[in-house]
Amino acid sequence: MTAVKNSARLGRRVAAARWTSGAVAIAAALGLVVSGLPTSGATAATPSSLTVRWVGDSSSAAANQPPRSETSVHFSQFRNLSVTVSQTADLADQSIRVAVAGFAPTQSSSSFGTNARNFIQAMQCWGPDPLAPDFRETCQWGGRYFSANNGVGDSVFVDNTMRVSSLDIAPGTPGAADRDVPFRTIDGREFSGLLTNDDLDSDGQLETRYPILDIFGPATTNEVTSARVGADGTGFFDFEVQSADQAPHMGCGTAEARRCWLVIVPRGSVFSGKPSEATPDSASGACSQYLPLNRFEPYPFGFSGADQGGSPLNPACDYWDNRIVVPLDFRPTGASCELGSAEQRVIGSELMVSAMSSWQPDLCSALKTTFSFATNPDRLARVRLLEGQASVAYSGYPLSSGELETEVERQLLADTDFAYAPVAISGVAIAFLSELPDGRVENLTLSPRLLAKLLTQSYRFTVPVSTGDPQRNVAHLPAVNRTYFYLNQDPEFQALNPTNFSQFTQNPALLLPGPGGADAFRQVWRWLQSDAAAVAFLNGEPDPYGMTVNPYYLPLGHPNATVPEADDLGRWIGADGQVVASVADARRKPVGLSNIDGSPLSLATAPIDTFLKADRSQVVLQVGVLPGGGPRYARFDTLQFAPYVESMLSGSRAAFRAEPNSRTIWDPSAINAAGEVGDWRSTGAQLPGQKFMLVITDSASALRYGLSLAKLQGEGDDAAISFSSASLSAALSALRPTNVATVKQVDPAAVSGAGYPLAIITYAAVNLTEAPAAERAVLASMIRRVTTSGQTPGTGSGQLPPGYLPLTPSLLAEATAAATLVERYPNVGTSSTTPPVPPLPGFNDAGDPVDSDPTPEESGAEELTEAVGEGPAAEPIARSALAVALFGGLAGVFGAPLLMRGRLT
């Protein structure tokens, strides 16, 4: 195991300072918020940043703005309004920051919604001409209507979420088809914005449908239904731009729509319903049927102080005329290599997704070769490289005999030569999105022990629970644990966050990638295992306040690894095997973690590269009646309550969207995987003002989606460490050798001072024995290019995206030497990079870390770009020769026999 830091326990004076303000920003739909908080480094302006003024604009987007008139009833409200977008070029699937200035503070209404007046709406559109009459038909809006779990709550009046008037939305409304605002896809299909009942359901009844949901809905749309403005009329919100990879119906980044548009619609405090010929003084509900208190008809046109009802797309309102249009230029999403180009298969670490998304087009252009990239669990990638199934494998560690299953594989390893080139410096991030009643909170500090509490489901909010009988569902947790209903009640959390712990009024939803393993996750566990307080907690010892680990995560046979026994219906079982009424009378059942051979597995010492979900408690609910007459029961467990995310990138996206995907709502009409009627469905996105998402991800993906990064503070550390270029650089002094001389990795136990403990080096491994000479020449050129020009920070093609640190001079020298070895093998001084000697200090022959003496790497690297990163989405795209495929989900399962050697009991 890694060396354990022995130091005094963390001691801090707890102080509470709750920041409140009547006009402070609160959350808006989809986790987007305008607030007066300062812009974080993760969303800093890029060279393509653009500011557009509502009137008198002189930017490059001036010609795209609709005409303004001083006679408009809105002119005085919006005349000083401007928006600044952090990035408008080289875009992919990512977030961008939109800063607002010169507006008025948002006002709420108890009878209307959280956002009643002076708020912002935003959407993405693909149409070629933003001034065309039908441009609004190309805008992604309306995906939050007609869905119970739409992530909007009571933030706005419901007709804001529609594309048409609430007078027209109902099926069969006379003349409504003439006033429809359909969504038109880039390939010419139309989806009505009206409800329909043209089809019959399974019972032969007319089924009301909303066609828009066939193309986008609450889980996929990027529309910002409402974002608030701070007391001084300024603030920001983060907007998710979607390329054709995420939203093919808009086609952004394809040849047909390289340029798309961000459309921002300000909503003031003047009613915008257009008068008709029959009712020149009133819109008569054609814009909105919202009826204010003490009024019995809609506002008249131009009414001041009006709550803002009505859709921004509805032609019966004039909100659309006030839009601000910002161009969004996307990276190409299709293949850039010429047909017939040679192809090299690259596999491995998810840490390289953003980098490869940037490097692939440049490699195509420069080397006339397609470097297709599919992510795999690192251990699986190393084995596949050994077997000759790929040209290059990215990973943080070299292949070791301990990872192999058979003597045949171990002999093959002994007969095979590899080259390892360092190609990237990045970090594992504990990223979060916290938008709570007091606004967006961007400062959070975590310790190894507190993270261990979360990873072991030791808080009551981390285990499956039912509101009907919550005490029953947490009865297996230790007594002190059950007293913490909220994370901010834990004294350790308060001590780590003394000035703002009271702002965290919601519990976090923790997103974990898996179930496949990764060297990045191994670094997390090495950090926990290097901390004396975390090790003690994982061993079953209480923290200073009495909290202990969830019994399911103790080693099998530990005296505390027992839980009250219950039957399949959740009833307690007594010592005689009969049902008893009280948990106090239930017999104890042994639980815990074990290896395949049945020996106990300890999280405090075992080499681990995955995140377990070991709590086996279940919630049992009666959901109906069986056909024969008895009650029908259904259950959900940890994997439904808190599912794995498929990858670190998708986890970052889900955190940005505030979508835990907790499947704990029973839908009696759904069809489950077995073909049975009835299934659990998602609870939907977290609601405005109630958003707190935590995700373990990589630094590049976190910055790509504008997430905040938690500071890390181990026991005895003088201060919490932020993720930055300086802290990544400082961590390199803790580089230690592995079982291969040319591969060194950051040892979290050796990181000190200002170093970021979850820093990690990624290597490109090449199977020299298997690769023919012509292929090795191309691979050597690839290594040279990505370690030279590919280390230039920036958002352009071929550059190093935000979230990475450029290679240091000594790491660059190692990469250069590796490229030479790849090119000239076997005619070099040594024919193998795997030395035929006993394991070096730092790792044993199985590849597991052991105590080692320092072999420091110099620090002092170039500045890390910390703006929002970008790059094409990392899911399989059949049409693209440059596709980045993520197999952290199903492929992780397929690799489970290799990766998940532990067993749950």
Side-chain angles (χ1 to χ4, degrees):
M1 60 171 285
T2 49
V4 174
K5 299 179 183 177
N6 295 304
S7 54
R9 290 193 179 277
L10 176 67
R12 288 171 175 262
R13 183 173 67 88
V14 177
R18 187 178 180 89
W19 176 55
T20 58
S21 171
V24 71
I26 68 175
L30 240 195
L32 307 175
V33 61
V34 170
S35 81
L37 298 173
T39 301
S40 68
T43 48
T46 65
S48 62
S49 174
L50 183 65
T51 297
V52 181
R53 297 182 57 84
W54 186 80
V55 66
D57 183 58
S58 59
S59 73
S60 58
N64 305 126
Q65 310 309 311
R68 314 295 186 198
S69 171
E70 293 187 14
T71 62
S72 167
V73 294
H74 306 285
F75 189 84
S76 61
Q77 286 195 305
F78 301 150
R79 63 186 306 169
N80 296 318
L81 177 63
S82 66
V83 298
T84 299
V85 180
S86 63
Q87 183 180 344
T88 62
D90 291 316
L91 294 167
D93 297 307
Q94 62 178 87
S95 73
I96 55 178
R97 180 150 292 186
V98 181
V100 178
F103 203 16
T106 298
Q107 299 172 357
S108 300
S109 168
S110 59
S111 63
F112 179 86
T114 305
N115 301 333
R117 297 175 291 278
N118 305 327
F119 56 90
I120 296 291
Q121 298 179 320
M123 66 199 78
Q124 184 173 328
C125 310
W126 66 263
D129 181 5
L131 297 178
D134 61 352
F135 177 63
R136 72 183 81 201
E137 295 181 6
T138 71
C139 297
Q140 185 164 266
W141 185 270
R144 300 191 183 282
Y145 178 66
F146 204 64
S147 297
N149 304 313
N150 61 7
V152 174
D154 64 351
S155 58
V156 293
F157 192 62
V158 65
D159 63 3
N160 274 269
T161 64
M162 303 175 184
R163 296 179 69 90
V164 298
S165 167
S166 55
L167 281 178
D168 293 329
I169 195 78
T173 301
D178 297 331
R179 297 183 291 273
D180 189 10
V181 183
F183 176 77
R184 180 161 40 88
T185 66
I186 194 167
D187 59 3
R189 294 172 295 154
E190 284 194 359
F191 293 81
S192 174
L194 306 172
L195 296 177
T196 67
N197 59 1
D198 300 330
D199 301 319
L200 299 179
D201 62 19
S202 57
D203 296 326
Q205 303 297 314
L206 288 175
E207 179 183 17
T208 300
R209 294 182 60 256
Y210 183 43
I212 290 296
L213 297 182
D214 293 340
I215 196 72
F216 55 85
T220 57
T221 184
N222 59 357
E223 63 200 76
V224 179
T225 310
S226 64
R228 291 175 63 96
V229 181
D232 61 355
T234 67
F236 68 84
F237 65 92
D238 291 338
F239 184 84
E240 179 191 357
V241 295
Q242 296 179 344
S243 76
D245 296 334
Q246 280 291 307
H249 48 276
M250 289 193 287
C252 301
T254 62
E256 295 80 9
R258 283 290 300 278
R259 168 170 286 187
C260 285
W261 310 89
L262 171 63
V263 174
I264 298 165
V265 180
R267 303 293 292 266
S269 59
V270 176
F271 185 63
S272 203
K274 293 181 180 179
S276 65
E277 293 182 4
T279 55
D281 297 324
S282 171
S284 297
C287 174
S288 175
Q289 285 190 290
Y290 169 66
L291 300 179
L293 288 176
N294 302 318
R295 290 185 64 92
F296 301 97
E297 62 181 0
Y299 294 117
F301 177 76
F303 184 90
S304 183
D307 295 341
Q308 295 291 288
S311 165
L313 299 187
N314 184 359
C317 316
D318 74 354
Y319 303 131
W320 182 250
D321 299 337
N322 299 318
R323 67 191 182 278
I324 294 176
V325 183
V326 180
L328 301 175
D329 292 327
F330 284 77
R331 286 183 183 176
T333 57
S336 296
C337 278
E338 296 179 2
L339 293 177
S341 297
E343 181 173 356
Q344 298 293 334
R345 187 180 182 214
V346 184
I347 62 174
S349 175
E350 290 182 38
L351 296 172
M352 297 303 296
V353 167
S354 290
M356 282 298 287
S357 296
S358 174
W359 293 342
Q360 281 175 316
D362 178 70
L363 291 171
C364 262
S365 175
L367 305 183
K368 309 303 180 186
T369 302
T370 297
F371 289 86
S372 62
F373 178 41
T375 65
N376 304 93
D378 296 62
R379 288 194 182 198
L380 185 59
R382 290 190 284 266
V383 173
R384 287 183 172 176
L385 181 69
L386 174 66
E387 296 170 345
Q389 297 184 40
S391 304
V392 176
Y394 288 131
S395 69
Y397 295 95
L399 181 61
S400 62
S401 61
E403 296 178 321
L404 302 176
E405 297 289 322
T406 67
E407 284 300 325
V408 173
E409 290 176 324
R410 285 187 276 274
Q411 185 58 51
L412 179 61
L413 174 62
D415 296 337
T416 302
D417 294 329
F418 294 91
Y420 293 91
V423 292
I425 306 170
S426 61
V428 185
I430 316 299
F432 68 100
L433 173 74
S434 178
E435 292 178 358
L436 302 169
D438 284 346
R440 180 158 178 172
V441 183
E442 296 197 285
N443 290 301
L444 173 66
T445 299
L446 299 177
S447 67
R449 182 171 58 199
L450 198 142
L451 182 59
K453 294 176 181 180
L454 290 165
L455 291 176
T456 57
Q457 298 179 262
S458 295
Y459 292 105
R460 61 181 298 146
F461 57 82
T462 60
V463 299
V465 67
S466 165
T467 56
D469 192 358
Q471 295 304 320
R472 173 179 293 272
N473 303 130
V474 300
H476 63 290
L477 294 179
V480 172
N481 304 36
R482 298 197 301 268
T483 66
Y484 299 155
F485 288 82
Y486 294 94
L487 178 62
N488 69 0
Q489 292 177 305
D490 184 350
E492 181 174 11
F493 184 82
Q494 296 175 5
L496 289 164
N497 302 276
T499 63
N500 70 341
F501 74 87
S502 61
Q503 287 182 291
F504 291 94
T505 55
Q506 293 294 130
N507 286 320
L510 177 62
L511 302 178
L512 296 176
D519 291 345
F521 309 155
R522 185 177 181 177
Q523 286 295 89
V524 174
W525 284 109
R526 292 185 70 197
W527 181 52
L528 269 57
Q529 293 170 349
S530 74
D531 185 87
V535 166
F537 181 82
L538 293 171
N539 278 329
E541 298 179 27
D543 75 359
Y545 316 101
M547 185 175 180
T548 53
V549 70
N550 183 332
Y552 282 103
Y553 287 86
L554 286 168
L556 181 66
H558 189 284
N560 294 333
T562 66
V563 298
E565 185 173 353
D567 65 11
D568 289 343
L569 299 181
R571 300 174 301 185
W572 302 121
I573 301 299
D576 59 358
Q578 300 300 308
V579 174
V580 295
S582 172
V583 65
D585 298 325
R587 67 188 181 192
R588 306 294 295 187
K589 179 179 70 172
V591 295
L593 303 176
S594 68
N595 294 296
I596 290 177
D597 62 4
S599 60
L601 185 152
S602 172
L603 295 179
T605 57
I608 307 169
D609 67 355
T610 189
F611 298 119
L612 302 177
K613 290 184 180 286
D615 188 297
R616 291 195 167 186
S617 60
Q618 294 183 333
V619 172
V620 183
L621 297 175
Q622 182 177 345
V623 296
V625 178
L626 293 172
R632 179 186 181 186
Y633 294 95
R635 302 162 184 81
F636 65 82
D637 58 14
T638 287
L639 287 175
Q640 292 161 291
F641 176 74
Y644 285 110
V645 292
E646 292 184 353
S647 66
M648 289 188 279
L649 178 63
S650 64
S652 296
R653 185 186 302 120
F656 175 83
R657 294 175 176 176
E659 175 55 84
N661 197 29
S662 181
R663 310 188 75 82
T664 58
I665 294 181
W666 181 255
D667 185 347
S669 62
I671 307 298
N672 65 19
E676 302 166 334
V677 178
D679 199 5
W680 300 100
R681 62 177 173 83
S682 173
T683 56
Q686 294 177 341
L687 294 176
Q690 303 174 32
K691 300 183 179 182
F692 189 8
M693 302 291 296
L694 274 174
V695 60
I696 296 184
T697 184
D698 64 293
S699 51
S701 294
L703 297 185
R704 180 169 174 164
Y705 279 98
L707 300 176
S708 304
L709 274 64
K711 299 176 182 178
L712 306 179
Q713 184 166 8
E715 188 186 42
D717 289 348
D718 294 332
I721 304 301
S722 301
F723 176 85
S724 68
S725 57
S727 64
L728 274 187
S729 181
L732 298 182
S733 63
L735 281 175
R736 299 293 184 267
T738 66
N739 58 305
V740 170
T742 54
V743 180
K744 292 178 285 186
Q745 192 52 264
V746 174
D747 182 357
V751 174
S752 60
Y756 186 72
L758 298 182
I760 186 169
I761 311 296
T762 301
Y763 290 82
V766 177
N767 185 330
L768 299 174
T769 304
E770 184 73 21
E775 179 178 301
R776 284 189 281 102
V778 175
L779 299 180
S781 297
M782 176 256 198
I783 292 171
R784 292 189 180 102
R785 190 158 189 89
V786 302
T787 57
T788 53
S789 61
Q791 299 295 311
T792 302
T795 59
S797 176
Q799 295 184 317
L800 190 67
Y804 298 94
L805 182 74
L807 294 178
T808 63
S810 65
L811 288 174
L812 175 58
E814 293 177 19
T816 301
T820 300
L821 174 60
V822 170
E823 187 174 47
R824 298 180 182 178
Y825 176 85
N827 299 314
V828 289
T830 176
S831 63
S832 174
T833 60
T834 306
V837 295
L840 294 173
F843 288 77
N844 59 29
D845 187 55
D848 300 329
V850 296
D851 293 350
S852 59
D853 295 326
T855 308
E857 165 78 13
E858 88 284 352
S859 59
E862 296 181 44
E863 182 180 359
L864 169 72
T865 305
E866 295 178 47
V868 173
E870 78 292 315
E875 278 74 22
I877 307 163
R879 62 182 171 76
S880 173
L882 302 181
V884 178
L886 290 178
F887 294 103
L890 291 177
V893 175
F894 298 149
L898 172 68
L899 304 168
M900 302 182 69
R901 300 174 183 268
R903 182 177 66 185
L904 311 181
T905 300

